[in-house]
């Protein structure tokens, strides 16, 4: 009697355990994913053993109701005790296996800062309907951003920065109506920004610097009400700056430096909500707009290495704050405005102009 009771108990426990563990198909997909990677130093995959990938597998989390794998979170730079004990950041080689696409309920995929992972982003990840986060920053991935990325209607974060990606920005990207954070910095992505980029109405950060993007800055960007950080620096953008960027309600950082932008500075930028404005190293001409007022609050304003002429406008003295100002390497002339707003600025902020004078440069005659 006792033996049969113990047998029933063990049977019940095994059934409960099976119900609460991950499905064999998810476990098999994870093991196939692991097989394509080599992590020689930390042993992060040592815990990937046993039948229940929902418990105790490093970097794997499951949905508590369905027990399907929901999150893969593998970061090569982490404060996890595993990294602290080894006194090193992570290094991993290999590729991202298409087996990842068999995890049908995957919500977040983070394989970041491993430095040595190569190959392409599997295009089949665009068939994972629950995906909210793709974070593949800091690897050596090549090839394009999957062309059907726009199918991921729940995607809020797309971070593929600091890889070796190439190709165009997929036109379908503008269908990502939930996207809040886009980071493709430090790749070799070329071509133009989609003209309907402004469809990304939930976007708050668009970080696209250090690529080979060209063409004009789309006017539609100004439709993105929530956008606070726009970085298009160190690309090959041309044409003029859309004046509507200065009318955006929450845009605080605008980095356009290191492009081929021409035309004049829109007056709207001088009294906007922007407090970091970098337009340096372009071909911008004309005058610095005389449209500063008490709304003007600049922690950084860098207009250096352009073709600006005329003087520094007197209205700049009515700005609430100007932290770092750089107008060097232009064709400016006339007296530098005096006052507490300028007392902390050094001569290097004004050098290499045609005939600027006054403190901190030589006195005007």
């Amino acid at each position: 009697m006792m033996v049969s009771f113990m047998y029933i108990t063990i049977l019940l426990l095994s059934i409960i355990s099976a119900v609460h563990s991950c499905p064999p198909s998810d476990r098999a997909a994870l093991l196939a994913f692991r097989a394509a990677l080599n992590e020689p130093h930390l042993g992060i995959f040592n815990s990937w053993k046993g039948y229940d990938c929902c418990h105790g597998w490093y970097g794997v989390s499951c949905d508590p109701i369905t027990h399907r794998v929901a999150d893969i979170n593998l970061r090569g730079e982490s404060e996890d005790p595993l990294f602290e004990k080894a006194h090193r950041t992570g290094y991993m080689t290999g590729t991202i296996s298409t087996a990842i696409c068999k995890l049908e309920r995957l919500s977040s995929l983070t394989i970041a800062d491993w430095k040595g992972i190569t190959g392409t982003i599997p295009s089949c990840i665009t068939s994972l309907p629950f995906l909210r986060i793709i974070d593949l920053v800091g690897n050596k991935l090549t090839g394009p951003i999957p062309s059907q990325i726009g199918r991921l209607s729940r995607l809020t974060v797309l971070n593929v920065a600091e890889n070796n990606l190439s190709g165009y920005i997929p036109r379908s990207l503008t269908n990502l109506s939930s996207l809040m954070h886009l980071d493709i910095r430090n790749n070799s992505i070329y071509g133009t920004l989609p003209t309907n980029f402004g469809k990304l109405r939930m976007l708050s950060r668009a970080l696209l610097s250090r690529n080979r993007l060209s063409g004009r800055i789309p006017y539609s960007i100004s439709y993105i009400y929530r956008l606070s950080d726009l970085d298009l620096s160190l690309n090959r953008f041309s044409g003029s700056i859309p004046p509507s960027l200065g009318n955006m309600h929450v845009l605080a950082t605008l980095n356009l430096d290191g492009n081929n932008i021409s035309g004049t500075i829109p007056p709207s930028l001088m009294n906007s909500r922007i407090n970091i404005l970098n337009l340096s190293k372009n071909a911008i001409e004309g005058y610095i707009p005389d449209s500063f007022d008490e709304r003007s609050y600049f922690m950084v304003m860098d207009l250096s290495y352009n073709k600006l002429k005329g003087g520094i406008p007197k209205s700049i003295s009515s700005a609430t704050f100007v932290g770092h100002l750089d107008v060097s390497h232009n064709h400016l002339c006339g007296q530098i405005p005096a006052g507490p707003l300028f007392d902390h600025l050094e001569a290097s902020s004004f050098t290499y102009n045609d005939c600027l004078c006054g403190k901190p440069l030589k006195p005007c005659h």
Side-chain angles (χ1 to χ4, degrees), residues 1-9:
M1 187 75 176
M2 189 68 175
V3 172
S4 62
F5 177 75
M6 286 177 64
Y7 175 76
I8 292 166
T9 304

Side-chain angles (χ1 to χ4, degrees), residues 54-108:
C54 287
H55 298 95
W57 285 38
Y58 184 91
V60 178
S61 304
C62 296
D63 184 284
I65 297 168
T66 64
H67 307 291
R68 301 293 304 273
V69 172
D71 304 297
I72 295 175
N73 187 6
L74 300 173
R75 293 190 180 277
E77 296 178 4
S78 171
E79 295 179 2
D80 187 276
L82 194 68
F83 290 75
E84 290 186 6
K85 189 176 178 182
H87 301 293
R88 62 169 297 136
T89 56
Y91 181 77
M92 198 187 297
T93 57
T95 60
I96 300 173
S97 168
T98 55
I100 208 89
C101 305
K102 294 178 180 175
L103 299 170
E104 297 161 357
R105 304 288 297 195
L106 196 64
S107 173
S108 69

Side-chain angles (χ1 to χ4, degrees), residues 332-351:
L332 299 174
C333 210
Q335 182 155 3
I336 298 167
L341 211 58
F342 293 86
D343 288 345
H344 66 287
L345 297 175
E346 298 180 2
S348 57
S349 294
F350 304 99
T351 52

Side-chain angles (χ1 to χ4, degrees), residues 19-331:
V19 167
H20 288 276
S21 62
C22 69
S25 59
D26 280 11
R27 178 179 176 274
L30 286 172
L31 292 177
F33 163 73
R34 172 193 168 176
L37 295 167
N38 176 41
E39 191 282 294
H41 303 294
L42 298 167
I44 65 162
F45 291 126
N46 291 347
S47 62
W48 287 32
K49 55 192 177 186
Y51 289 100
D52 185 6
C53 60
C54 287
H55 298 95
W57 285 38
Y58 184 91
V60 178
S61 304
C62 296
D63 184 284
I65 297 168
T66 64
H67 307 291
R68 301 293 304 273
V69 172
D71 304 297
I72 295 175
N73 187 6
L74 300 173
R75 293 190 180 277
E77 296 178 4
S78 171
E79 295 179 2
D80 187 276
L82 194 68
F83 290 75
E84 290 186 6
K85 189 176 178 182
H87 301 293
R88 62 169 297 136
T89 56
Y91 181 77
M92 198 187 297
T93 57
T95 60
I96 300 173
S97 168
T98 55
I100 208 89
C101 305
K102 294 178 180 175
L103 299 170
E104 297 161 357
R105 304 288 297 195
L106 196 64
S107 173
S108 69
L109 176 62
T110 298
I111 308 166
D113 297 312
W114 291 103
K115 305 171 188 70
I117 296 177
T118 55
T120 60
I121 301 170
S123 59
C124 60
I125 65 169
T126 63
S127 65
L128 296 172
F130 297 95
L131 212 49
R132 293 182 304 104
I133 295 171
I134 298 174
D135 186 351
L136 306 175
V137 62
N139 292 295
K140 287 186 179 174
L141 299 171
T142 53
I145 297 170
S147 62
Q148 296 302 311
I149 194 80
R151 294 167 62 185
L152 298 174
S153 60
R154 289 179 169 88
L155 199 68
T156 60
V157 173
L158 177 59
N159 186 353
V160 292
E162 295 170 29
N163 280 285
N164 297 321
L165 299 176
S166 57
Y168 296 99
I169 292 177
R171 293 299 176 250
S172 74
L173 184 101
T174 60
N175 295 330
L176 296 173
S177 57
S178 299
L179 194 67
M180 298 179 190
H181 181 96
L182 174 64
D183 192 347
I184 63 170
R185 289 174 295 179
N186 292 6
N187 281 288
S188 298
I189 294 167
Y190 50 81
T192 59
L193 274 185
T195 54
N196 62 344
F197 195 79
K199 281 177 64 183
L200 298 169
R201 294 296 171 86
M202 299 297 286
L203 201 62
S204 64
R205 303 190 82 201
L207 309 177
L208 288 74
S209 66
R210 293 183 185 273
N211 280 285
R212 298 174 187 173
L213 296 167
S214 58
R216 300 180 74 90
I217 299 169
Y219 178 89
S220 68
I221 287 179
S222 58
Y223 302 154
I224 308 176
Y225 181 82
R226 298 166 181 263
L227 192 64
S228 66
D229 190 352
L230 178 62
D231 189 352
L232 304 179
S233 62
L234 301 165
N235 278 287
R236 299 170 185 176
F237 286 107
S238 56
S240 55
I241 302 168
S244 54
L245 295 182
N247 301 326
M248 296 177 69
H249 288 286
V250 295
L251 188 65
T253 300
L254 179 61
N255 286 331
L256 303 178
D257 51 299
N259 281 286
N260 301 315
I261 294 168
S262 57
T264 59
I265 300 174
S268 58
L269 297 185
M270 299 296 106
N271 54 23
S272 64
R273 302 193 179 225
I274 296 168
N275 52 49
I276 295 176
L277 177 66
N278 193 343
L279 306 180
S280 70
K281 298 182 175 67
N282 279 289
I284 299 169
E285 53 195 13
Y287 300 93
I288 300 173
D290 195 8
S291 56
F292 294 85
D293 60 25
E294 66 281 353
R295 290 172 295 179
S296 309
Y297 188 103
F298 289 99
M299 291 189 289
V300 174
M301 182 190 288
D302 193 343
L303 309 178
S304 62
Y305 292 91
N306 278 290
K307 299 176 180 178
L308 297 169
K309 63 182 179 180
I312 298 172
K314 288 187 169 56
S315 67
I316 197 169
S317 300
S318 61
T320 298
F321 180 74
V322 178
H324 173 78
L325 173 69
D326 193 345
V327 295
S328 64
H329 297 268
N330 279 288
H331 299 291

